[in-house]
Amino acid sequence: MSESGDESEKKQPTNWIQQHPVYQGMKSLEVGDSAQIHAAFLVYMDLSEARHWNEVSYMKSPELEVVLLEGREIEGGPVQTVLPLPVHQNVNHRSLRRVLDRGFPLLLCAVGSDSTLVYQRMTDGLVTPDPPVGPFQDVDRRHQRKRRQQD
């Protein structure tokens, strides 16, 4: 009795991402760039499952031919737009301006080939940065103390 027929008929494991209903919905938007759809799905999962954002949804940007995400970081907070892009994809000022003109705060998310996600908050114009938070020491004073102790 030979089992060679049974072994050749074993099914390959299915890719759960391609079977996911959100991924299927993003594909149905007919963006055309499968790498951008994959990046958008990874960001969607990060926002909804790991970061617990509320009301995360996806839509097609007809001007840019990309999938955009929207959601609320905290319940009742402002809606934020997320532009997920694979790291190899270029973006220009005109593209960012089109997304910023929607009126919502924008997060640009670079998605690495190893699924690393890097978020960068984009603003319309110059914004004063928030002061640093944490236990920081004044480096100059520390150096002065060391000099006094050595003398």
Side-chain angles (χ1 to χ4, degrees), residues 13-27 34-45 111 113-115:
T14 58
N15 184 344
W16 70 271
I17 291 176
Q18 293 177 349
Q19 304 302 319
H20 198 281
V22 171
Y23 184 84
Q24 293 293 324
M26 289 179 181
K27 267 180 73 173
S34 61
Q36 200 274 326
I37 293 171
H38 183 77
F41 177 76
L42 293 177
V43 175
Y44 177 91
M45 293 301 288
V111 181
S113 59
D114 62 350
S115 301

Side-chain angles (χ1 to χ4, degrees), residues 130-139 141-142:
D130 293 332
V133 178
F136 296 102
Q137 296 178 359
D138 188 353
V139 176
R141 290 183 186 170
R142 193 173 74 201

Side-chain angles (χ1 to χ4, degrees), residues 12-69:
Q12 296 294 325
T14 58
N15 184 344
W16 70 271
I17 291 176
Q18 293 177 349
Q19 304 302 319
H20 198 281
V22 171
Y23 184 84
Q24 293 293 324
M26 289 179 181
K27 267 180 73 173
S28 71
L29 296 175
E30 298 179 358
V31 170
D33 184 1
S34 61
Q36 200 274 326
I37 293 171
H38 183 77
F41 177 76
L42 293 177
V43 175
Y44 177 91
M45 293 301 288
D46 182 58
L47 295 176
S48 60
E49 299 296 327
R51 298 180 187 273
H52 305 291
W53 277 35
N54 297 303
E55 304 169 27
V56 180
S57 62
Y58 56 90
M59 74 225 45
K60 178 180 180 179
S61 169
E63 305 90 15
L64 302 177
E65 288 294 315
V66 296
V67 176
L68 293 176
L69 303 173

Side-chain angles (χ1 to χ4, degrees), residues 54-124:
N54 297 303
E55 304 169 27
V56 180
S57 62
Y58 56 90
M59 74 225 45
K60 178 180 180 179
S61 169
E63 305 90 15
L64 302 177
E65 288 294 315
V66 296
V67 176
L68 293 176
L69 303 173
E70 284 186 351
R72 298 177 192 276
E73 191 170 1
I74 56 172
E75 191 171 337
V79 172
Q80 297 187 50
T81 302
V82 182
L83 174 58
L85 292 175
V87 292
H88 68 272
Q89 189 169 346
N90 294 329
V91 64
N92 58 35
H93 290 103
R94 185 175 293 135
S95 299
L96 293 176
R97 169 61 44 210
R98 287 183 179 157
V99 178
L100 281 169
D101 286 345
R102 299 181 76 229
F104 300 121
L106 172 66
L107 284 175
L108 176 66
C109 184
V111 181
S113 59
D114 62 350
S115 301
T116 300
L117 304 177
V118 178
Y119 293 93
Q120 178 66 49
R121 189 169 307 279
M122 307 299 287
T123 60
D124 189 10

